Amino acid sequence: MKVKQLCINSYKPPVQSQNWASSLFLNLYRCNSQQISRHLHRLKVNNVVKGGQSFIFGEEKVGLAVGVKGSCYNAGGEVARKARLYGFGTVVLTQNELNIKETSQVISGLIQANYKYKLLGDVAQEKQQSDENNDQYSYISDLHVQENIFEDSYFQQLVQMAQIKLYARDLANTRQEGTPQYFVDEVKTLFKDNPNVEIQILQGKQLLESQLNLFYAVGQGSIHPPTLINLTYRGNKDSQHLHALVGKGITFDTGGLHLKSYGNMETMHLDKSGACNVLAAFKGAVDMKLKVNVTVTLGMAENAISNTSYKPSNIFKSHKGLTVEINNTDAEGRLVLADCLSWTQATYNPTTIVEISTLTGACAAALGENTGGLFSNNDELSSELLEIGKELQEPFWRMPVTDEHKDMMKGQFADLCNIGKSKVCGASKAAAFLFNFVDENTPFAHLDIAGPMDSKADKGIYPPGATGFGTQVLLKYLVNKQE
């Protein structure tokens, strides 16, 4: 089950002139506003939930008054849940005490929380279709906002970015069908007829022919050939700048011969989240017709176990020319990314590179499930990404990469090893490994989203499953790079 994309419409006040039967009327107030108490009294409240939001249910119609305190995005998430709880498929924004920026964030949060991914059997599908045909909605399908809000550019941008984030979730939530070939088919369907998009595919032994030996090694144990997918969009042909995004796309990670234990493998279909977010951000840039040039590289491979799996103690020469000793087959993502970063830089010489991946459990241990790690060789790039993340409720925290971390990744029998000499500072060591494959003069940022890649509860802007965390940051970054 994928929730249908929310349809957003504008209307001219007054709301009484419209015919919205069986709709949820949404009223937004600043928390502790006197208007809330007056509204409660006028609607003859029979149910109030305290703690930041006040929910109002009248005798003849249903209204929802939200006193916004703290995150506007989370307030929107609560609206989506209450509408779902009481079976409203249509929400109408009527009274509003917030400014347009705050209102836009509420609606963005509503869109992000109004999502569910579940594969239904035949009987459940029939029931769902019957419910929709009889206007018995479990998710919001229509939203009506005042004309002045609908036409605001900030509102339009946040809505587009939120909807693109849902697409990233759809991609990441795929299970066994989400193979490297699935993503090849997806990009061809999306962009094959777009004259502004160039598609380049390297699959299986073609990776070896292009010296992407690390990348190939990770996927050589799978029946699904490892695949590099590169997409380039030139939205500003008068500009010499080209910005690169790189995403880790391990379609399933068993850990390889260093097999993951029970409890650590069940969500590894989400180890492709970085690539899914990059593809979604790229699609957003194309759909929005951004005046920016961007190239994206997706490293798609399955880290499986077979008689052809790569082994501990193997030594491979990377695309960069550096040799790497394999000390742990479960440190595979950095191998794929190393070759992707080197290949992207050698092929396009981009102005900046931003890479995103579910790279280390150590980063999740350090920062938790709501914050991603940011590692960069450039202060200006770091500051920009941190500010974007703060604005869009996809926060990152800058982490260090020091000479100590770099020394830990030096190999005994090769130039580098893929796991390091010590069990400490795993997130910084992984970032230090990647830094070897990017020119030090090229502004580069590595985003580790291992912590916030998935949600275990229905809370805030996130239902259970893939979150799409980081997608909006990437897209907003490209928006800012327009010339």
Side-chain angles (χ1 to χ4, degrees), residues 33 55 62 92 101 117 134 140 156 176 187 229 241 244-245 257 259 282-283 285 310 328 392-393 403 409 432:
S33 167
F55 303 103
V62 177
V92 182
K101 181 176 181 180
Y117 186 94
N134 291 292
I140 302 170
Q156 289 289 341
Q176 65 273 18
V187 299
I229 301 173
H241 296 297
L245 304 179
L257 294 179
L259 184 67
F282 182 84
K283 180 179 183 298
Y310 78 125
N328 191 324
L392 297 173
Q393 199 167 304
D403 289 341
M409 300 307 293

Side-chain angles (χ1 to χ4, degrees), residues 2-280:
K2 297 179 184 178
V3 177
K4 295 179 180 178
Q5 183 165 300
L6 181 64
C7 180
I8 303 178
N9 303 289
S10 67
Y11 73 90
K12 292 182 179 181
V15 69
Q16 290 83 358
S17 65
Q18 310 294 330
N19 181 22
W20 285 311
S22 302
S23 298
L24 178 64
F25 293 88
L26 173 62
N27 304 276
L28 299 176
Y29 303 107
R30 299 192 186 283
C31 198
N32 302 322
S33 167
Q34 292 182 354
Q35 290 192 45
I36 293 182
S37 60
R38 291 200 297 268
H39 195 74
L40 293 173
H41 179 73
R42 185 173 67 252
L43 286 183
K44 301 178 182 179
V45 179
N46 54 37
N47 185 14
V48 178
V49 179
K50 298 180 180 179
Q53 280 88 27
S54 299
F55 303 103
I56 304 153
F57 306 95
E59 295 178 349
E60 297 180 356
K61 67 177 182 179
V62 177
L64 179 59
V66 179
V68 178
K69 180 180 181 181
S71 168
C72 293
Y73 294 101
N74 287 345
E78 290 304 314
V79 171
R81 288 183 185 86
K82 285 298 175 182
R84 182 163 73 236
L85 178 64
Y86 292 98
F88 286 93
T90 300
V91 173
V92 182
L93 177 59
T94 54
Q95 298 189 44
N96 184 14
E97 195 180 62
L98 308 183
N99 61 39
I100 287 183
K101 181 176 181 180
E102 292 167 332
T103 304
S104 301
Q105 292 176 354
V106 170
I107 300 305
S108 172
L110 182 154
I111 294 170
Q112 293 181 59
N114 188 55
Y115 176 88
K116 184 175 184 178
Y117 186 94
K118 187 173 183 178
L119 296 181
L120 300 176
D122 295 340
V123 174
Q125 285 183 15
E126 290 176 6
K127 182 180 185 305
Q128 177 185 313
Q129 188 61 54
S130 175
D131 288 347
E132 290 181 1
N133 291 341
N134 291 292
D135 291 336
Q136 296 177 8
Y137 294 94
S138 59
Y139 286 81
I140 302 170
S141 59
D142 293 283
L143 173 67
H144 300 270
V145 300
Q146 294 93 331
E147 191 174 56
N148 66 311
I149 297 173
F150 183 85
E151 294 177 350
D152 183 79
S153 60
Y154 184 79
F155 174 82
Q156 289 289 341
Q157 186 180 104
L158 276 198
V159 166
Q160 288 174 301
M161 290 195 296
Q163 290 173 336
I164 280 295
K165 188 172 181 176
L166 302 191
Y167 173 65
R169 292 180 189 173
D170 283 344
L171 294 173
N173 276 320
T174 55
R175 274 29 182 209
Q176 65 273 18
E177 72 275 19
T179 64
Q181 185 60 45
Y182 173 93
F183 285 86
V184 171
D185 295 340
E186 182 74 9
V187 299
K188 288 182 177 179
T189 299
L190 289 174
F191 305 117
K192 65 180 180 180
D193 296 323
N194 192 319
N196 294 319
V197 176
E198 304 164 13
I199 302 175
Q200 187 172 176
I201 308 291
L202 297 177
Q203 195 163 44
K205 294 295 179 65
Q206 292 176 327
L207 296 174
L208 294 178
E209 295 168 5
S210 299
Q211 287 77 53
L212 287 95
N213 301 309
L214 297 178
F215 189 164
Y216 180 80
V218 170
Q220 70 185 33
S222 173
I223 61 173
H224 305 291
T227 305
L228 180 148
I229 301 173
N230 177 257
L231 305 168
T232 303
Y233 165 71
R234 300 190 184 275
N236 187 352
K237 296 181 180 179
D238 294 328
S239 172
Q240 299 300 311
H241 296 297
L242 177 67
H243 302 280
L245 304 179
V246 176
K248 170 188 169 185
I250 302 300
T251 57
F252 194 86
D253 182 17
T254 66
L257 294 179
H258 281 111
L259 184 67
K260 290 181 182 293
S261 61
Y262 172 76
N264 293 312
M265 196 192 300
E266 288 75 9
T267 59
M268 284 299 102
H269 62 283
L270 298 177
D271 211 20
K272 60 184 180 293
S273 293
C276 296
N277 295 354
V278 166
L279 176 54

Side-chain angles (χ1 to χ4, degrees), residues 211-421:
Q211 287 77 53
L212 287 95
N213 301 309
L214 297 178
F215 189 164
Y216 180 80
V218 170
Q220 70 185 33
S222 173
I223 61 173
H224 305 291
T227 305
L228 180 148
I229 301 173
N230 177 257
L231 305 168
T232 303
Y233 165 71
R234 300 190 184 275
N236 187 352
K237 296 181 180 179
D238 294 328
S239 172
Q240 299 300 311
H241 296 297
L242 177 67
H243 302 280
L245 304 179
V246 176
K248 170 188 169 185
I250 302 300
T251 57
F252 194 86
D253 182 17
T254 66
L257 294 179
H258 281 111
L259 184 67
K260 290 181 182 293
S261 61
Y262 172 76
N264 293 312
M265 196 192 300
E266 288 75 9
T267 59
M268 284 299 102
H269 62 283
L270 298 177
D271 211 20
K272 60 184 180 293
S273 293
C276 296
N277 295 354
V278 166
L279 176 54
F282 182 84
K283 180 179 183 298
V286 174
D287 290 348
M288 295 166 71
K289 296 181 171 59
L290 298 186
K291 294 181 179 179
V292 65
N293 300 324
V294 57
T295 186
V296 302
T297 302
L298 315 178
M300 313 305 302
E302 181 182 42
N303 188 18
I305 298 176
S306 74
N307 62 341
T308 60
S309 297
Y310 78 125
K311 301 174 179 64
S313 79
N314 284 166
I315 295 177
F316 301 102
K317 180 181 283 189
S318 68
H319 181 271
K320 184 84 170 179
L322 296 169
T323 55
V324 179
E325 181 181 1
I326 307 304
N327 289 340
N328 191 324
T329 60
D330 197 22
E332 84 298 328
R334 65 198 67 181
L335 302 175
V336 171
L337 290 171
D339 273 353
C340 285
L341 289 167
S342 176
W343 180 88
T344 300
Q345 190 155 29
T347 305
Y348 293 103
N349 190 26
T351 308
T352 62
I353 304 176
V354 178
E355 172 270 316
I356 187 167
S357 52
T358 52
L359 201 61
T360 66
C363 196
L367 299 177
E369 297 179 345
N370 298 309
T371 304
L374 187 155
F375 306 78
S376 181
N377 62 3
N378 186 277
D379 292 341
E380 183 178 346
L381 177 58
S382 292
S383 297
E384 183 176 4
L385 292 170
L386 290 172
E387 189 62 31
I388 293 171
K390 182 179 179 181
E391 177 191 349
L392 297 173
Q393 199 167 304
E394 292 181 351
F396 286 89
W397 189 267
R398 192 171 184 184
M399 302 278 279
V401 177
T402 68
D403 289 341
E404 177 188 13
H405 302 131
K406 295 175 183 177
D407 288 341
M408 288 179 177
M409 300 307 293
K410 292 179 179 178
Q412 182 178 6
F413 302 106
D415 295 326
L416 301 168
C417 60
N418 77 324
I419 195 63
K421 303 172 183 177

